[in-house]
């Protein structure tokens, strides 16, 4: 028996060493924050199928345009963007796709069914294997939770309620539909529906394990792995008396590649004396890794063991989860806090510096994440010579929509490419329904009415950019920015900003006229574009304007003033320039031997 295992190990090692010598490199696509909602789904216990679309004659379950222009994510058009992205993946011949959480928008049963149907189709037709991990929207709580939405579009153009029970329904006078299929699934329901997408082992896998059953690679058994994958075998105590699931797993889908799917959800109890299985007695998991360090320490020990085994067996370890491991604001988080306040700009989601060190020490080098709906690359080097690269995968439901392709050239050499999803077939399919909605809202003479010009956009890229513009106007400015600052700054042209930034005695040497063609509101949108899309946003911002921003930043930094407004502008342009000059985030090479990232054309 020992001889048999030693021969098996020798063969495995030789294969692992040779796999990267093959001509064809291994590619993995990462699609984050899909937020899939089944526009053409159905409820098992209610005949309501949505509203009839005059363009397609099909019943459609969609959310209102008003709701999605107040949200950080698109609810409806991302359905078509997801299909377009999968078609692009299939066209490129990529056979492994990782989904780092929020693949649904609250894990309702009808959305789980719709997503599974699509994944099954692409798996069967194109031979694509999907590997998923959890996000804070799937599940919303460890256990099945009643809920619903009050912003589905009704037949007459007004919103309607769809809830899982009558108790949860908001008293808003709207038409109401009740279905259990709108309840927010817990771990059990999500695992049951998606078990074949990584949550449980497949006979196709060369290796598979959980944090609760760290097994020997040499003694691996599919039968034992299947047993260890059972829901009851994947529990831990998140807080004394509160036992919840953890769906982390490690899988070797192809020889030499270890995909580490980390369940970054940490659901802390609201009331330690409350019911330990009450889904409403848990806080959101949106904070991410900060709570993993304090309440999910078993993951860190597991990662240490895995990374040691990966190195010993010459496996390439690639980690992915929903949450970032590094600051994704290009070093501007402290400036943002000073400008807006510590509780703004979702700064509570920025991971502590200690997170990166803990996981780098545990052996993680390359990590893919979502959650923030941004495109970004973060690099952290440590005194002990270790290096961690965190790659933020953009969402398909926000500006700038896209996904990432990782090409594994060797254990230390990787290429990362960002694919923008610009042209999406059928992206305007729902526009006739929005026109009807807009007509109803217009008659209500609302002050914060959304801009109907969005229905004139010609492609999905422009649609998501318009979405961001409206999001800034309707949500971000009212919620995040000091009112007095915005009132003053919004009156300023680029030329006004120029004169505020310099000593008036030197102003004649500058061509101020070139600054006249844009104003502060343009700069504010550009700030959000750069935060969302990083260097890819530069394709949508005039190059001359970017240079002018840099010039203004340099000028404001020289100002020595006690004027609060001028110091706010100084911080504004400091943040803008930092967000515009981060590490490569489009197409780049990672060389872990040299400890560097190189931009590729």
């Amino acid at each position: 028996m020992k001889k048999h295992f030693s021969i098996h190990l020798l063969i495995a090692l030789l294969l692992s060493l040779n796999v990267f010598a093959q001509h064809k490199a291994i590619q993995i696509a990462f699609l984050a924050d899909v937020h899939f909602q089944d526009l053409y789904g159905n409820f098992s216990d209610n005949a309501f199928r949505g509203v009839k679309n005059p363009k397609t004659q099909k019943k459609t379950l969609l959310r209102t345009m008003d709701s999605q222009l107040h949200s950080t994510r698109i609810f409806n058009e991302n359905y078509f963007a997801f299909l377009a992205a999968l078609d692009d993946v299939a066209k490129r011949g990529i056979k492994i796709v990782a989904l780092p959480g929020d693949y649904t928008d609250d894990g309702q049963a009808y959305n789980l069914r719709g997503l599974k149907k699509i994944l099954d189709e692409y798996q069967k037709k194109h031979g694509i294997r999907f590997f998923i991990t959890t996000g804070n929207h799937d599940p919303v709580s460890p256990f099945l939770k009643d809920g619903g939405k009050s912003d589905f579009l009704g037949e007459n153009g007004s919103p309607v309620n769809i809830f899982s029970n009558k108790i949860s329904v908001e008293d808003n006078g709207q038409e109401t539909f009740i279905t259990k299929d709108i309840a927010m699934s817990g771990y059990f329901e999500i695992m049951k529906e998606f078990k074949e997408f990584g949550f449980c082992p497949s006979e196709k896998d060369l290796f598979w394990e959980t944090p609760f059953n760290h097994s020997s690679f040499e003694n691996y058994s599919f039968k034992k792995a299947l047993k260890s994958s059972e829901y009851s075998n994947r529990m831990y105590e998140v807080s004394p008396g509160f036992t919840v699931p953890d769906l982390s797993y490690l899988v070797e889908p192809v020889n030499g590649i270890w995909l580490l799917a980390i369940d970054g959800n940490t659901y802390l109890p609201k009331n330690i004396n409350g019911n330990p299985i009450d889904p409403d007695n848990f806080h959101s998991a949106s904070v991410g890794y900060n709570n993993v360090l304090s309440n999910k320490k078993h993951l860190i020990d597991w990662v240490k063991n895995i990374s040691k085994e990966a190195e010993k067996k010459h496996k390439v370890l690639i980690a992915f989860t929903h949450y970032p491991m590094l600051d994704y604001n290009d070093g501007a988080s402290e400036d943002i806090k000073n400008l807006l306040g510590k509780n703004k700009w979702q700064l509570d989601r920025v991971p502590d510096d200690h997170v990166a060190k803990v996981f780098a020490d545990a052996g993680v080098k390359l990590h893919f994440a979502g959650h923030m709906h941004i495109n970004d690359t973060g690099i952290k080097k440590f005194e002990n010579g270790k290096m961690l690269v965190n790659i933020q995968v953009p969402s398909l439901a926000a500006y700038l929509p896209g996904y990432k392709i990782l090409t594994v050239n060797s254990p230390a050499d990787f290429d990362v490419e960002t694919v923008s999803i610009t042209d999406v077939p059928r992206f305007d399919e729902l526009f006739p329904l929005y026109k009807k909605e807009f007509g109803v809202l217009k008659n209500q003479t609302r002050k914060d009415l959304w801009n109907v010009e969005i229905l004139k956009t010609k492609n999905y890229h422009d649609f998501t950019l318009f979405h961001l513009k409206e999001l800034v106007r309707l949500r971000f400015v009212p919620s995040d920015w000091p009112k007095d600052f915005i009132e003053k700054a919004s009156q300023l042209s680029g030329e006004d900003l120029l004169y505020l930034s310099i000593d008036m005695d030197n102003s004649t040497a500058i061509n101020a006229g070139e600054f006249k063609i844009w104003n502060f509101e343009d700069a504010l949108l550009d700030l959000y574009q750069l935060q969302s899309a990083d260097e890819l946003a530069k394709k949508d911002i005039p190059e001359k304007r970017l240079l002018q921003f840099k010039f203004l930043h340099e000028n404001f930094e020289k100002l020595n003033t006690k004027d609060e407004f001028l110091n706010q502008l100084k911080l504004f342009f400091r943040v803008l320039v930092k967000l515009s000059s981060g590490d490569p985030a489009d197409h780049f090479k990672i060389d872990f031997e040299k400890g560097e990232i190189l931009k590729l054309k």
Side-chain angles (χ1 to χ4, degrees), residues 340-353:
L340 305 180
K342 66 177 182 179
N343 297 320
K344 304 295 185 179
W345 196 281
Q346 302 185 84
L347 288 176
D348 60 325
R349 296 184 172 192
V350 175
D352 295 337
D353 287 342

Side-chain angles (χ1 to χ4, degrees), residues 31-34 99-104 132-135 138 320-322:
L31 278 65
D33 297 277
V34 172
L99 303 175
D102 283 6
Y103 32 85
T104 68
I132 63 179
T133 188
T134 53
D138 38 30
F320 72 103
T321 191
H322 187 55

Side-chain angles (χ1 to χ4, degrees), residues 403-467:
Y403 71 95
K404 299 278 186 179
I405 299 174
L406 172 69
T407 302
V408 184
N409 299 312
S410 79
D413 181 9
F414 304 85
D415 287 356
V416 179
E417 180 182 0
T418 311
V419 180
S420 298
I421 300 299
T422 300
D423 296 308
V424 172
R426 301 167 60 193
F427 90 96
D428 57 353
E429 187 165 299
L430 310 178
F431 282 15
L433 296 172
Y434 296 138
K435 287 180 181 177
K436 194 172 186 179
E437 175 197 344
F438 183 81
V440 171
L441 291 174
K442 192 175 181 181
N443 289 333
Q444 296 174 357
T445 62
R446 279 179 42 173
K447 291 182 180 179
D448 61 344
L449 188 62
W450 53 269
N451 190 342
V452 73
E453 292 295 307
I454 192 173
L455 303 184
K456 294 181 180 179
T457 51
K458 300 300 182 184
N459 56 53
Y460 191 59
H461 167 277
D462 292 350
F463 181 82
T464 58
L465 180 54
F466 208 117
H467 170 265

